[in-house]
Amino acid sequence: MEVVILPGSRQIASLVADTIEALLREKPDAVLGLATGSSPLPVYDELALRHERGLDFSRAHGFLLDEYVGLESGHPESYREVIRREFAVRVNIAPENIHGPDGAAADLPAACRAYEDAIQDRGGVDLQLLGIGTDGHIGFNEPGSSLASRTRIKTLIEQTRRDNARFFGSLAEVPHHVVTQGLGTILDSRHAVLVATGAQKAQAVHDLVEGPVAAICPASVLQLHPHASILVDEAAASSLKLADYYRHSYEHKPAWQAL
Ligand code: GLP
């Protein structure tokens, strides 16, 4: 696991975009794992800019991490719609190449299994972008999630509903249920890139990086990932014991070594 502490979200977005750009130049049909929440938004802004300068997404695929259950198709806060608006329409990725778990399916367990199959059929996720919830969730894998879990239905913790209420008219409108890639699904990605900014994420970032691997902090499963990059700003890094070591390592990183 590599921890990179940067001054702010612009620098984080630029580094993530560099990594995605290098991936797409080497593998134009790369599979990108797409995250929602506010943390990845600067990354999508930067990718849109790079597309204007020629970065080609025409053969790329995108797989969403998660989705609310019970929002009607096209609801502005459904994650499929958020990704369409914030990312897909701003680059030249084919609409049919964007995939998401179906939170409106009549048979949710079957839809979750089909989603796992679709990821496999595409050859797996090359780069999985992630944010982190204040309770340490990734995707919508709330505390207590099996570290080996696959795509399935989950019930949101009230704190997450409250955190996400800002996107809805009121707390009552935030669904209680979601479908999310599991922690085992996320572990299968070839490169996991987690971004976090702000003091409200400091405890979760500490638990993820320096706490034990434990279901109480689902993101800590990334300690088992063979290639995980954790990109944080100073505020999100403020509870890290080894912050100076992470800074030193990044400053002295060999020039040939990418994220
Ligand atoms: C939601 C998403 C997560 C995201 C989290 C944090 O719960 N399902 O994927 O990481 O929000 O969001 P934010 O980046 O807005 O703090």
Side-chain angles (χ1 to χ4, degrees), residues 142-157:
E142 294 285 31
S145 290
S146 157
L147 302 182
S149 48
R150 313 302 304 188
T151 303
R152 72 216 180 289
I153 187 166
K154 286 293 288 181
T155 304
L156 292 181
I157 279 184

Side-chain angles (χ1 to χ4, degrees), residues 20 28 37 54 62 76 89 95 104 107 118 134-135 148-149 156 159 165 172-173 175 184 187 189 228 232 237 239:
I20 292 176
V89 297
D107 185 345
T134 53
D135 63 359
S149 48
L156 292 181
Q159 183 182 329
E173 288 171 54
L187 271 189
S189 62
V232 291
S239 296

Side-chain angles (χ1 to χ4, degrees), residues 52-107:
E52 278 171 29
R53 296 189 202 128
L55 184 60
D56 181 27
F57 290 81
S58 61
R59 294 176 56 202
H61 280 255
F63 281 85
L64 275 67
L65 266 178
D66 47 9
E67 183 57 278
Y68 291 107
V69 168
L71 296 185
E72 72 277 13
S73 147
H75 186 292
E77 292 312 323
S78 74
Y79 280 171
R80 191 169 251 286
E81 188 58 23
V82 170
I83 287 294
R84 191 192 67 77
R85 189 168 68 228
E86 301 292 346
F87 171 64
V89 297
R90 301 166 73 196
V91 299
N92 64 333
I93 195 162
E96 63 274 19
N97 286 3
I98 298 280
H99 316 267
D102 184 358
D107 185 345

Side-chain angles (χ1 to χ4, degrees), residues 35-40 65-66 79 130-133 137-140 160 164 166-167 200-201:
T36 47
S38 41
S39 307
L65 266 178
D66 47 9
Y79 280 171
L130 296 164
I132 184 168
H137 72 243
I138 51 176
F140 266 137
T160 302
N164 290 1
R166 68 188 193 280
F167 297 113
Q200 74 283 6
K201 299 291 173 71

